[in-house]
Amino acid sequence: MSGLVIKPRVRLLHGHEWVYASDVAKTWGDPKPGSIVTLKDFKDRPLGVAIYNPKSQIVARRFSRRKQDLDLDFFTRRIERALKHRRELPGLDERLARIVWSESDGLPGIIVDRYGDHLVLQTLTLAMDMRKDIIAQALKNILSPASIVERNEAPSRLAEGLEVITGMLHGEAPAPFALETPHGVFTLDLLHGQKTGLYLDQLENYAKVAQWAAGKRVLDCFCNQGGFALACAKAGAASVLALDQSESAIAAGQANAAATGVTIDFQAGNVFDFLKVAEAAGHVYDLIILDPPSFARNKAAIKDAMRGYKEIQLRALKLLAPGGKLSTYSCSYHVSKGEFLDVILEAANDAKRTLRMVSTHTQRSDHPILPALPETEYLKGYTVEAIASW
C-alpha cells in the first residue's frame, strides 16, 4: 500500500482527520486518486489509513486508525454503527433523520438522509464517489429502502474533481410526496428540491423558537419551505409573514401551510429589500427569524459575509417591538460562534437596542459534532430579546 509521511505539528497529530498538501513531508509508492493510503508520522509510526485525492487541497482524509478496506463489509459496519447512534438519541425519529454525517460517522464525504422509505445519498469525496454502488448496496441490505436518490450537486465536489449529478441509484424516482412532522406537513421533492429535501439540521430549532410565538406577530426571513413559519403558526401566532427569494420555495411553503391547516402570508422577494421597506413603513414584529443561506462558503468571503450578517441583524432589530425576540442563525462554518455573536452585538449597538440572551442553538443531534474536527460543527444560532427601555 502506498502512503504519506506527515510533517510534525500538523493537526492530524492532535486528533484532526484531514491532511492538507502542505502537511505532507513525503509520499512513497504510487498512490492513485481515490485509493487508500497509509499514514505515518516523521518517526515512521503508523497513524492509520486515509482516502487519497491529490487534486484536492485536502489530499487525504483519515477514516480509520488501523488498516481497513473500503469494501461492502466495511460500509455495512460503519452505517450500522451510525444508525445505532441515532437510535440511542432521545426523541429522534430515525425515519426523518440524517443517518450518516461524513467524518462524524467515520465515512468522510458520505451523507445519507432518510425520509420515510426513501434515502438520499451524497458522495462528496472522490474515493467514496468511486464506491457509491457499494455504499448503495450496504444501504439496501440494512434499510431495504424503496429508493435511493443521488443528489451530488454540492460545490465541494468540484474541489474533488467530480462532476455534479442527480439521479437514481436504486428503485423508481419518487414523485413529490407529503411527510407529516411534529412541526407541520412538508411536501418533499427528493430529486429536484433544495438540498436533500428538507433542512433536517433545523428541525429541533423550529419547536424551540415556536414556544415564543403564541399570540405574536412573526416574521420568518429566508423561510425556504416555511419550517419556522409552520411551527409558529401551529403554536398560535397572531400572524406569520414568511419571505424567501425563491418562487419555488414559496410555492412549496404555501402547499405545506395548506396541508398543515394554518394561515401564513408567504411572499417572494429579496429579504434585504423587504427589511428596508418595512422599516420605512414603521412595521413592527414581536418575533423575527433570520435563517439565511451560507454567506461565507470560503475564507475569502468572510469579510463580505460579516457585512451581510450585520446588515440583516441591524434591520431586523429595528423592526422588533420592545421585548420582542430575534432568532438568528449562521450555517457558515468559516464564521465562528464568537464572530457571529459579535456581529449581532455590533448591530444592536448601532440600533440602540439592549439584548438579553434567551437561548443558543446548534444543529440537530443527528448531525453529530467531533470536537477534534471543528468543521463538523457549522450551524450556530442565538435567540435574543430586545429589552424594553429601562
Side-chain angles (χ1 to χ4, degrees):
M1 183 183 291
S2 302
L4 310 177
V5 176
I6 308 304
K7 294 178 181 178
R9 294 183 293 279
V10 302
R11 291 200 297 170
L12 187 83
L13 302 178
H14 299 279
H16 205 282
E17 305 293 350
W18 293 353
V19 177
Y20 288 88
S22 58
D23 297 338
V24 178
K26 183 176 71 173
T27 301
W28 83 86
D30 184 23
K32 303 297 184 183
S35 66
I36 301 170
V37 293
T38 297
L39 303 177
K40 293 185 178 183
D41 70 8
F42 51 96
K43 293 184 178 180
D44 203 37
R45 292 175 296 201
L47 298 172
V49 289
I51 54 176
Y52 179 70
N53 185 359
K55 294 182 180 179
S56 172
Q57 279 190 318
I58 306 170
V59 298
R61 298 171 189 254
R62 183 168 59 186
F63 63 88
S64 180
R65 292 176 183 268
R66 58 188 177 87
K67 186 177 180 180
Q68 301 246 29
D69 289 324
L70 294 176
D71 54 16
L72 181 60
D73 179 65
F74 169 82
F75 288 115
T76 299
R77 286 185 284 106
R78 285 288 167 96
I79 294 170
E80 285 178 339
R81 184 188 297 183
L83 193 59
K84 180 178 182 291
H85 173 69
R86 272 71 177 176
R87 287 171 175 164
E88 294 173 349
L89 295 173
L92 182 75
D93 179 3
E94 69 172 80
R95 291 176 58 81
L96 180 61
R98 176 155 291 181
I99 60 172
V100 174
W101 171 223
S102 199
E103 278 88 351
S104 290
D105 290 301
L107 292 165
I110 299 178
I111 293 173
V112 182
D113 289 340
R114 187 178 188 183
Y115 300 98
D117 295 327
H118 305 281
L119 302 178
V120 180
L121 172 66
Q122 294 180 295
T123 47
L124 306 179
T125 51
L126 174 63
M128 298 309 182
D129 193 68
M130 291 168 59
R131 296 163 175 84
K132 64 186 174 187
D133 289 341
I134 304 175
I135 298 164
Q137 184 61 55
L139 291 168
K140 287 189 286 184
N141 294 347
I142 296 166
L143 294 169
S144 301
S147 73
I148 302 177
V149 179
E150 177 183 9
R151 290 296 300 270
N152 273 325
E153 306 134 304
S156 59
R157 280 176 60 90
L158 300 177
E160 288 278 314
L162 297 169
E163 62 178 346
V164 295
I165 186 171
T166 300
M168 298 301 302
L169 296 173
H170 167 66
E172 298 293 326
F177 62 95
L179 190 65
E180 188 166 358
T181 78
H183 320 289
V185 178
F186 292 90
T187 301
L188 304 182
D189 184 349
L190 301 186
L191 269 171
H192 307 106
Q194 201 162 15
K195 295 292 184 180
T196 65
L198 195 62
Y199 288 115
L200 296 172
D201 53 0
Q202 283 283 31
L203 285 179
E204 289 180 352
N205 292 326
Y206 295 159
K208 289 179 181 178
V209 173
Q211 67 182 317
W212 299 299
K216 305 300 184 182
R217 297 161 292 181
V218 177
L219 174 63
D220 181 10
C221 300
F222 309 98
C223 68
N224 192 249
Q225 293 190 43
F228 283 106
L230 289 170
C232 290
K234 283 191 68 178
S239 64
V240 182
L241 173 59
L243 308 171
D244 201 281
Q245 192 160 4
S246 167
E247 296 276 0
S248 59
I250 292 297
Q254 290 169 332
N256 294 340
T260 304
V262 295
T263 300
I264 298 172
D265 179 13
F266 283 93
Q267 294 184 20
N270 182 283
V271 170
F272 288 86
D273 293 341
F274 174 88
L275 294 176
K276 291 178 186 178
V277 173
E279 180 187 347
H283 294 172
V284 177
Y285 299 91
D286 305 302
L287 173 60
I288 298 177
I289 299 116
L290 299 176
D291 186 22
S294 177
F295 285 173
R297 297 193 180 277
N298 52 57
K299 290 183 179 180
I302 291 177
K303 189 173 181 179
D304 288 340
M306 299 308 286
R307 283 197 294 265
Y309 282 127
K310 181 176 179 181
E311 181 179 346
I312 57 172
Q313 314 303 320
L314 175 61
R315 296 195 179 281
L317 287 167
K318 289 183 176 181
L319 298 179
L320 273 183
K325 293 181 176 63
L326 170 67
S327 190
T328 180
Y329 300 85
S330 167
C331 61
S332 303
Y333 160 71
H334 295 287
V335 176
S336 71
K337 289 185 287 188
E339 289 170 329
F340 187 49
L341 181 58
D342 284 345
V343 85
I344 296 169
L345 296 178
E346 289 174 12
N349 186 55
D350 289 354
K352 298 179 174 58
R353 307 299 296 265
T354 300
L355 302 183
R356 176 184 286 135
M357 184 66 73
V358 175
S359 184
T360 60
H361 307 281
T362 187
Q363 61 221 51
R364 195 168 70 147
S365 56
D366 58 344
H367 296 60
I369 296 165
L370 300 184
L373 194 70
E375 290 83 356
T376 59
E377 182 178 12
Y378 63 95
L379 181 64
K380 70 283 297 181
Y382 299 96
T383 296
V384 293
E385 176 187 350
I387 299 173
S389 298
W390 295 112

